[in-house]
Amino acid sequence: MPENLPSTPSPTTTMCDTKRFSLWVLQIVGLLGLLVFLLWLSLRPKQPTYTIINFSLPTSPVNQGGDNSTVSFELEIRNPNKGSDIYYDDMLLTFFYGEDTLGQKTIPSFYQKKDSTTQMFDHVDADPHVWKKLLGVISKATAELKVAVVTKIRYRMWGRKSKHHGINMHGRLPIGSDGKISGKKKKISLHPKQPTYAIVQFSVPTTDNGNTTCQVNQGGGKNGTISFGLEIRNPNPHSVIYYNDTLLTFYYGKDIVGQKTIPSFDQRGEKKKQMFKVNAEAQVWKKLVSAISYAPAEVMVDVVTSIRNRMWVHLSKHEKIYLQGKIPIGMDGKISGKKKMIRLHQASKKRSKVARQDISRLRSGNGAINHAIHHQQNF
């Protein structure tokens, strides 16, 4: 009888087994990669949050001896990380009134456990001259203070400390006549410092005799052109700023000279500068051209947008920005005076209301503001 010999697998069967094994290996590798990515997201540390939960200043005048008045505050710092502790370097807390420093306080370095909250109650000796200005305002209306917190932190995970990460947080405190935080919000959350804006190289084209090189025809059908440079600086080196569409509006008196919408973009910790052109409204353009042909004129600019800060993988909520500035225009059609860079500042409540109306008009027209971050473009 013939012996039963072992059957030899066919080449087709061998190839199928190899494909199944390769597919199984790929599935395992993909699953492990997904688990590692999810673990990285869950363990990557988040930035601590800072909140002014109490603020008080005495409303009585500074005594004749010149002693400083005392401002009391309570700062809440929360570590939201469930897997990492935080080591804080010395923390500098500064209160500003306008461009003046009201007072400063240095909080010594400390350690904070994971998923915990630390509340600090302390005092600041106020500068007497700035204090007098503030008293004069809050006796009649609400005043606004700015607060800044600057420090460096290190995370500790699995017994190892990370490198230093810079923290630069800012906030605005509305102060009522009682010397305390006014309004519905009694707790003021601090956020990364807002970007700074400046208008540079503003120009209304003119000839040597003061007449514009781009004339408007009698029918008003052709508009003049204004060119300007916009410089935006991100003061936070450790964060990325995502900008929604930015609307710039130029005014001459109460009339709108022209508007420019800058598409959304993102910015690292650096300075960005770009030149733009604005088509001016015909009738307002005529008034401006006539004015600068005889004497310097002034153009107002409003900037409206909203931003989001990203620190590592954490993305903040939308923060609205309303800025304004005054541009002195000489007879040569350029910025007059010694300052050739016009820095923009926080808009007043009245100007902010006008800016919101401009946004409504922009949304109802062809330039609807895009809030999707995945459409961000480099500025």
Side-chain angles (χ1 to χ4, degrees):
M1 295 180 64
E3 296 182 358
N4 293 329
L5 298 176
S7 60
T8 303
S10 64
T12 304
T13 304
T14 303
M15 291 180 62
C16 290
D17 292 340
T18 303
K19 288 182 178 179
R20 291 194 190 97
F21 178 76
S22 300
L23 182 61
W24 178 79
V25 171
L26 288 175
Q27 290 176 341
I28 295 298
V29 171
L31 181 60
L32 290 176
L34 180 61
L35 291 176
V36 170
F37 177 71
L38 293 176
L39 182 63
W40 176 79
L41 287 179
S42 62
L43 295 180
R44 193 167 177 84
K46 297 179 181 179
Q47 184 177 348
T49 60
Y50 298 78
T51 306
I52 299 291
I53 61 175
N54 195 8
F55 182 89
S56 178
L57 53 90
T59 55
S60 59
V62 181
N63 61 39
Q64 295 180 355
D67 294 334
N68 292 349
S69 294
T70 301
V71 175
S72 61
F73 67 92
E74 191 169 359
L75 177 65
E76 180 182 274
I77 305 174
R78 171 157 179 76
N79 176 9
N81 301 289
K82 297 182 179 181
S84 60
D85 305 327
I86 299 180
Y87 289 87
Y88 296 81
D89 287 0
D90 288 355
M91 184 182 304
L92 178 62
L93 190 143
T94 308
F95 292 96
F96 299 93
Y97 177 58
E99 300 297 326
D100 300 320
T101 300
L102 178 63
Q104 289 184 321
K105 185 68 178 184
T106 299
I107 300 174
S109 58
F110 64 97
Y111 160 78
Q112 188 178 36
K113 293 183 178 180
K114 56 187 176 183
D115 194 20
S116 63
T117 301
T118 303
Q119 292 184 351
M120 300 179 176
F121 182 82
D122 216 322
H123 301 82
V124 172
D125 291 331
D127 180 273
H129 300 291
V130 182
W131 176 256
K132 288 181 180 179
K133 293 181 184 179
L134 182 58
L135 281 183
V137 174
I138 64 175
S139 63
K140 302 176 182 178
T142 301
E144 184 181 77
L145 295 180
K146 292 181 289 186
V147 57
V149 174
V150 179
T151 186
K152 290 183 178 181
I153 62 174
R154 299 181 72 182
Y155 298 98
R156 190 183 71 175
M157 298 176 59
W158 299 324
R160 299 183 61 182
K161 291 183 180 180
S162 69
K163 65 178 182 180
H164 278 96
H165 297 279
I167 299 292
N168 190 353
M169 309 295 283
H170 290 251
R172 298 177 182 274
L173 306 178
I175 307 300
S177 58
D178 59 353
K180 299 181 180 180
I181 298 175
S182 66
K184 295 181 179 180
K185 292 184 178 180
K186 301 302 181 182
K187 296 183 179 181
I188 307 299
S189 299
L190 307 187
H191 304 279
K193 190 175 182 180
Q194 286 188 348
T196 59
Y197 291 73
I199 298 292
V200 295
Q201 298 178 359
F202 187 91
S203 177
V204 178
T206 60
T207 58
D208 293 338
N209 59 8
N211 295 322
T212 62
T213 58
C214 181
Q215 295 291 339
V216 182
N217 60 33
Q218 294 181 355
K222 185 177 180 181
N223 294 348
T225 301
I226 294 175
S227 62
F228 68 94
L230 180 64
E231 182 179 283
I232 305 176
R233 180 177 174 270
N234 176 6
N236 307 297
H238 300 285
S239 67
V240 180
I241 299 180
Y242 293 93
Y243 297 80
N244 287 332
D245 288 1
T246 302
L247 175 65
L248 288 93
T249 306
F250 294 90
Y251 297 88
Y252 177 58
K254 295 183 179 180
D255 299 322
I256 294 179
V257 180
Q259 291 183 318
K260 181 67 178 180
T261 301
I262 301 174
S264 55
F265 63 96
D266 62 85
Q267 183 185 22
R268 269 71 179 172
E270 55 188 7
K271 188 183 295 183
K272 297 287 187 180
K273 177 182 174 182
Q274 188 169 335
M275 296 298 298
F276 298 96
K277 290 186 177 181
V278 175
N279 291 325
E281 198 278 328
Q283 299 301 322
V284 184
W285 173 259
K286 287 182 179 180
K287 294 180 183 179
L288 178 60
V289 168
S290 177
I292 64 175
S293 64
Y294 294 100
E298 186 177 79
V299 173
M300 174 76 75
V301 58
D302 285 351
V303 174
V304 182
T305 187
S306 62
I307 63 173
R308 301 182 75 179
N309 286 275
R310 190 188 73 191
M311 180 75 71
W312 301 297
V313 296
H314 176 67
L315 193 62
S316 69
K317 297 180 180 179
H318 280 98
E319 182 180 359
K320 296 180 181 179
I321 291 181
Y322 300 114
L323 301 175
Q324 68 180 44
K326 295 180 179 180
I327 307 174
I329 308 300
M331 298 177 66
D332 60 353
K334 299 180 180 180
I335 298 175
S336 64
K338 295 181 179 180
K339 294 183 178 180
K340 301 303 179 182
M341 175 184 291
I342 307 300
R343 299 189 182 278
L344 307 186
H345 305 282
Q346 185 72 22
S348 62
K349 292 183 179 180
K350 183 178 180 180
R351 298 299 302 181
S352 298
K353 183 178 180 180
V354 173
R356 286 192 291 269
Q357 294 173 352
D358 290 338
I359 288 182
S360 299
R361 287 197 294 268
L362 181 66
R363 284 176 173 169
S364 62
N366 295 327
I369 293 182
N370 176 17
H371 291 282
I373 288 183
H374 65 274
H375 289 307
Q376 304 293 347
Q377 299 175 352
N378 288 329
F379 175 55

